[in-house]
Amino acid sequence: MDRAIEYRSKCKHFRTLIIGRANAGKTTLLKKVCNSIDGPEIFSPSGEKRGIHDIKNQLIFRSNPQFIFHDSRGFESGSLDEIETVKSFIAERAQGRELPEQLHAIWYCLPTDTNRPLLDADKSFFNEYGTGKEAKNKKFERAQEKLKTNFVEPLEATASRPSAYVRLDDMRMEDTSCNELIEKTVNVLDDDRLKLLFVSVQQNNIDICIEHAIRSSSRRPHPRKSGMVPACLGR
């Protein structure tokens, strides 16, 4: 735990970019992650309060201000402007010399209740800007096959496929959780500094904090930067 405290003293926030189309459930997912019923407050990079959408602005929930989120509107209808905005933002953050300036994770949200599972722009993103890294009943089997055919297989064919996939149920329901997303994100972080930082900002899943803090206590920090793209597949 001493190392986690050391990293938190140097980097007080875990910074995540969330990408997804309109109505993909991004805000609902972030509320669940931060255990909040209220929306986030929006701040400019310099810390001034804002009310407008801009990928550079920081979304922070009062219930867990250790997370900083950046929101992309997604690539609606192949919008070239938005694609270039996301590319530029990722490149800019990748050039950050200090850990707090860098992006620590990317969550890419894809709605499954659509007749257009993947846009060309979605495939383009994973080809150019990724990271380089039994059924109970027939209805469940069909759903799993649909996810595999419409999402997993096309994304696996891209140059920089997602590091992990998470299927999330309706995050608006009280009995749903995002624990699997948290666990998958922890597992794909290949930099021990980021792994300890991520688990240290958790407030909803103490078990994950304890498990990974103990697991990492005997490791030496890994020197590489890390970029992660768990693909969130939601209803």
Side-chain angles (χ1 to χ4, degrees), residues 65-110:
Q66 288 81 17
F67 274 111
I68 290 179
F69 298 103
H70 295 272
D71 179 22
S72 165
R73 291 174 294 184
F75 309 136
E76 305 289 347
S77 301
S79 170
L80 294 178
D81 288 344
E82 188 64 21
I83 292 174
E84 289 304 316
T85 297
V86 172
K87 289 179 179 179
S88 297
F89 179 73
I90 293 175
E92 178 184 328
R93 285 290 173 180
Q95 294 173 2
R97 299 184 62 181
E98 301 297 332
L99 188 63
E101 301 171 359
Q102 301 165 10
L103 274 179
H104 304 144
I106 301 173
W107 291 343
Y108 202 108
C109 301
L110 297 165

Side-chain angles (χ1 to χ4, degrees), residues 3-4 6-7 10 99 190-196 216-225:
R3 285 170 55 201
E6 177 187 351
Y7 296 151
K10 297 177 180 178
L99 188 63
D190 59 2
D191 184 322
D192 281 351
R193 298 172 303 168
L194 290 181
K195 193 184 293 286
L196 283 173
S216 300
S217 62
S218 61
R219 298 179 188 170
R220 295 182 61 186
H222 198 290
R224 293 180 298 169
K225 295 181 181 179

Side-chain angles (χ1 to χ4, degrees), residues 12-74:
K12 300 184 183 300
H13 303 91
F14 191 89
R15 189 180 300 275
T16 300
L17 169 63
I18 185 164
I19 302 175
R21 305 172 211 169
N23 301 316
K26 293 180 295 180
T27 301
T28 303
L29 172 62
L30 298 186
K31 285 182 178 180
K32 185 73 72 169
V33 169
C34 293
N35 194 26
S36 176
I37 60 174
D38 299 316
E41 294 183 300
I42 303 175
F43 297 91
S44 70
S46 61
E48 299 174 349
K49 201 162 186 179
R50 289 285 186 266
I52 59 174
H53 176 276
D54 188 306
I55 193 172
K56 294 184 178 181
N57 286 341
Q58 304 176 136
L59 280 62
I60 299 176
F61 289 85
R62 288 187 178 184
S63 57
N64 193 344
Q66 288 81 17
F67 274 111
I68 290 179
F69 298 103
H70 295 272
D71 179 22
S72 165
R73 291 174 294 184

Side-chain angles (χ1 to χ4, degrees), residues 153-168:
E153 290 180 349
L155 290 174
E156 283 292 301
T158 58
S160 299
R161 59 184 181 272
S163 300
Y165 301 89
V166 182
R167 178 186 176 276
L168 299 174

Side-chain angles (χ1 to χ4, degrees), residues 129-145:
Y129 288 89
T131 64
K133 312 178 181 188
E134 304 183 301
K136 295 181 180 180
N137 53 56
K138 290 184 178 180
K139 183 177 180 181
F140 181 79
E141 289 176 356
R142 288 196 297 270
Q144 291 296 92
E145 186 62 31

